[in-house]
Coordinates of all heavy atoms in Angstrom, one line a residue:
A639 N 0.8 -1.2 0.0 CA 0.0 0.0 0.0 C 0.9 1.3 0.0 O 0.6 2.2 -0.7 CB -0.9 0.0 1.2
H640 N 1.9 1.2 0.8 CA 2.8 2.4 0.9 C 3.5 2.7 -0.5 O 3.5 3.8 -1.0 CB 3.9 2.1 1.9 CG 5.1 3.0 1.8 ND1 5.0 4.3 2.4 CD2 6.3 2.9 1.3 CE1 6.2 4.9 2.2 NE2 7.0 4.1 1.5
R641 N 4.0 1.6 -1.1 CA 4.7 1.8 -2.4 C 3.7 2.3 -3.5 O 4.1 3.1 -4.4 CB 5.4 0.5 -2.8 CG 6.6 0.2 -1.9 CD 7.0 -1.3 -2.1 NE 7.6 -1.5 -3.4 CZ 8.9 -1.3 -3.7 NH1 9.7 -0.9 -2.8 NH2 9.4 -1.6 -4.9
W642 N 2.5 1.8 -3.4 CA 1.5 2.2 -4.4 C 1.2 3.7 -4.3 O 1.2 4.4 -5.3 CB 0.2 1.3 -4.2 CG -0.9 1.7 -5.1 CD1 -1.9 2.7 -4.9 CD2 -1.2 1.2 -6.4 NE1 -2.7 2.8 -6.0 CE2 -2.3 1.9 -6.9 CE3 -0.6 0.2 -7.2 CZ2 -2.9 1.5 -8.2 CZ3 -1.1 -0.1 -8.4 CH2 -2.3 0.6 -8.9
L643 N 0.9 4.1 -3.1 CA 0.5 5.5 -2.9 C 1.7 6.4 -3.1 O 1.6 7.5 -3.6 CB -0.1 5.7 -1.5 CG -1.4 4.9 -1.2 CD1 -1.8 5.0 0.2 CD2 -2.5 5.5 -2.1
A644 N 2.9 6.0 -2.6 CA 4.1 6.8 -2.8 C 4.4 7.0 -4.2 O 5.1 8.0 -4.6 CB 5.2 6.2 -2.0
S645 N 4.0 6.1 -5.1 CA 4.3 6.1 -6.5 C 3.2 6.9 -7.3 O 3.3 7.0 -8.5 CB 4.5 4.7 -7.1 OG 5.6 4.1 -6.5
G646 N 2.3 7.4 -6.5 CA 1.2 8.2 -7.2 C 0.0 7.4 -7.6 O -0.9 7.9 -8.3
G647 N -0.1 6.2 -7.1 CA -1.3 5.4 -7.4 C -2.6 5.9 -6.8 O -2.5 6.6 -5.7
Q648 N -3.7 5.7 -7.4 CA -5.0 6.2 -6.9 C -5.5 5.4 -5.8 O -5.4 4.2 -5.7 CB -6.0 6.2 -8.1 CG -5.7 7.1 -9.2 CD -5.6 8.6 -8.8 OE1 -6.6 9.1 -8.2 NE2 -4.5 9.3 -9.1
E649 N -6.1 6.1 -4.8 CA -6.5 5.4 -3.6 C -7.7 4.4 -3.9 O -7.7 3.3 -3.3 CB -7.0 6.4 -2.5 CG -5.9 7.3 -2.0 CD -6.4 8.2 -0.9 OE1 -7.6 8.4 -0.8 OE2 -5.5 8.8 -0.2
R650 N -8.6 4.8 -4.8 CA -9.7 3.9 -5.1 C -9.2 2.6 -5.8 O -9.7 1.5 -5.6 CB -10.7 4.6 -6.0 CG -11.5 5.7 -5.2 CD -12.4 5.0 -4.1 NE -12.9 6.0 -3.2 CZ -13.6 5.7 -2.1 NH1 -13.9 4.4 -1.9 NH2 -14.0 6.6 -1.3
D651 N -8.2 2.8 -6.6 CA -7.6 1.6 -7.3 C -7.0 0.7 -6.3 O -7.1 -0.6 -6.3 CB -6.5 2.0 -8.3 CG -7.2 2.7 -9.5 OD1 -8.4 2.5 -9.8 OD2 -6.4 3.5 -10.2
L652 N -6.3 1.3 -5.3 CA -5.7 0.5 -4.2 C -6.7 -0.3 -3.4 O -6.5 -1.5 -3.1 CB -4.9 1.4 -3.3 CG -4.2 0.7 -2.1 CD1 -3.3 -0.4 -2.5 CD2 -3.5 1.7 -1.2
M653 N -7.9 0.3 -3.2 CA -8.9 -0.3 -2.4 C -9.4 -1.6 -3.2 O -9.6 -2.6 -2.6 CB -10.1 0.6 -2.2 CG -9.8 1.7 -1.1 SD -11.2 2.7 -0.8 CE -12.4 1.5 0.0
R654 N -9.6 -1.5 -4.5 CA -10.0 -2.6 -5.3 C -9.0 -3.7 -5.3 O -9.3 -4.9 -5.2 CB -10.4 -2.1 -6.7 CG -11.6 -1.2 -6.8 CD -12.0 -0.9 -8.2 NE -12.4 -2.1 -8.9 CZ -13.7 -2.5 -8.8 NH1 -14.6 -1.9 -8.1 NH2 -14.1 -3.6 -9.5
L655 N -7.7 -3.3 -5.5 CA -6.6 -4.3 -5.5 C -6.5 -5.0 -4.2 O -6.2 -6.3 -4.2 CB -5.3 -3.7 -5.9 CG -5.2 -3.1 -7.4 CD1 -3.9 -2.3 -7.5 CD2 -5.3 -4.2 -8.4
A656 N -6.6 -4.3 -3.1 CA -6.4 -4.9 -1.8 C -7.7 -5.6 -1.2 O -7.6 -6.3 -0.2 CB -5.9 -3.8 -0.8
G657 N -8.8 -5.4 -1.9 CA -10.0 -6.0 -1.4 C -10.6 -5.4 -0.2 O -11.3 -6.0 0.6
W658 N -10.5 -4.0 -0.1 CA -11.1 -3.3 1.0 C -12.4 -2.6 0.5 O -12.5 -2.1 -0.6 CB -10.1 -2.1 1.4 CG -8.8 -2.6 2.0 CD1 -8.6 -3.7 2.7 CD2 -7.6 -2.0 1.8 NE1 -7.3 -3.8 3.1 CE2 -6.6 -2.8 2.5 CE3 -7.1 -0.8 1.2 CZ2 -5.3 -2.4 2.6 CZ3 -5.8 -0.5 1.3 CH2 -4.9 -1.3 2.0
R659 N -13.4 -2.6 1.4 CA -14.6 -2.0 1.1 C -14.8 -0.7 2.0 O -15.7 0.1 1.7 CB -15.8 -2.9 1.4 CG -15.9 -4.0 0.4 CD -17.3 -4.7 0.5 NE -17.5 -5.6 -0.6 CZ -18.6 -6.3 -0.8 NH1 -19.6 -6.1 0.0 NH2 -18.7 -7.1 -1.8
S660 N -13.9 -0.6 3.0 CA -13.9 0.6 3.9 C -12.7 1.5 3.7 O -11.6 1.0 3.6 CB -14.0 0.1 5.3 OG -13.8 1.2 6.2
S661 N -13.0 2.8 3.7 CA -11.8 3.7 3.5 C -11.0 3.8 4.8 O -9.9 4.2 4.9 CB -12.4 5.1 3.2 OG -13.3 5.6 4.2
E662 N -11.6 3.2 5.9 CA -10.9 3.1 7.2 C -9.6 2.3 7.0 O -8.5 2.6 7.5 CB -11.7 2.5 8.3 CG -11.0 2.3 9.6 CD -11.9 1.6 10.6 OE1 -13.1 1.4 10.3 OE2 -11.4 1.2 11.7
M663 N -9.7 1.2 6.3 CA -8.5 0.3 6.0 C -7.5 1.1 5.2 O -6.3 0.9 5.4 CB -9.0 -1.0 5.3 CG -9.9 -1.8 6.2 SD -9.2 -2.3 7.8 CE -7.8 -3.3 7.3
L664 N -8.0 1.9 4.2 CA -7.1 2.6 3.4 C -6.3 3.6 4.2 O -5.1 3.8 4.0 CB -7.9 3.4 2.3 CG -7.1 4.3 1.4 CD1 -6.2 3.4 0.5 CD2 -8.1 5.1 0.5
E665 N -6.9 4.3 5.2 CA -6.2 5.2 6.0 C -5.2 4.5 6.9 O -4.1 5.0 7.1 CB -7.2 5.9 6.9 CG -8.2 6.9 6.1 CD -9.3 7.5 7.0 OE1 -9.2 7.2 8.2 OE2 -10.1 8.1 6.5
R666 N -5.6 3.3 7.4 CA -4.6 2.6 8.3 C -3.4 2.1 7.5 O -2.3 2.3 8.0 CB -5.4 1.4 8.9 CG -4.5 0.6 9.9 CD -5.2 -0.6 10.4 NE -6.5 -0.4 10.9 CZ -7.4 -1.3 11.3 NH1 -7.1 -2.6 11.1 NH2 -8.6 -1.0 11.7
Y667 N -3.6 1.5 6.3 CA -2.5 1.0 5.6 C -1.8 2.1 4.8 O -0.6 1.9 4.5 CB -3.1 0.0 4.5 CG -3.3 -1.4 5.1 CD1 -4.4 -1.7 5.9 CD2 -2.4 -2.4 5.0 CE1 -4.7 -2.9 6.4 CE2 -2.6 -3.7 5.5 CZ -3.7 -3.9 6.3 OH -3.9 -5.1 6.8
G668 N -2.4 3.2 4.6 CA -1.7 4.3 3.9 C -1.0 5.3 4.8 O -0.5 6.3 4.3
A669 N -1.0 5.0 6.1 CA -0.5 6.0 7.0 C 1.0 6.3 6.7 O 1.4 7.5 6.7 CB -0.6 5.6 8.5
S670 N 1.8 5.3 6.5 CA 3.2 5.5 6.2 C 3.5 6.3 5.0 O 4.3 7.2 5.0 CB 3.9 4.1 6.1 OG 3.8 3.4 7.3
A671 N 2.7 6.0 3.9 CA 2.9 6.8 2.7 C 2.4 8.2 2.9 O 3.0 9.2 2.3 CB 2.1 6.1 1.5
A672 N 1.3 8.4 3.7 CA 0.9 9.8 3.9 C 1.9 10.6 4.7 O 2.1 11.8 4.4 CB -0.4 9.7 4.7
D673 N 2.6 10.0 5.6 CA 3.6 10.7 6.4 C 4.7 11.1 5.4 O 5.3 12.2 5.5 CB 4.2 9.8 7.5 CG 3.2 9.6 8.6 OD1 2.2 10.4 8.7 OD2 3.4 8.7 9.5
Q674 N 5.1 10.2 4.5 CA 6.2 10.5 3.6 C 5.8 11.6 2.6 O 6.6 12.5 2.4 CB 6.6 9.2 2.8 CG 7.7 9.4 1.8 CD 8.1 8.1 1.1 OE1 8.5 7.2 1.8 NE2 8.1 8.1 -0.2

């Protein structure tokens, strides 16, 4: 998730690839990339 977002990948695409239905999971897994 970190590498995807840090490389400019779209959040909605990441949700589909990771199998998440909740944006809460996106926030949790994307925290490291958000800090960077």
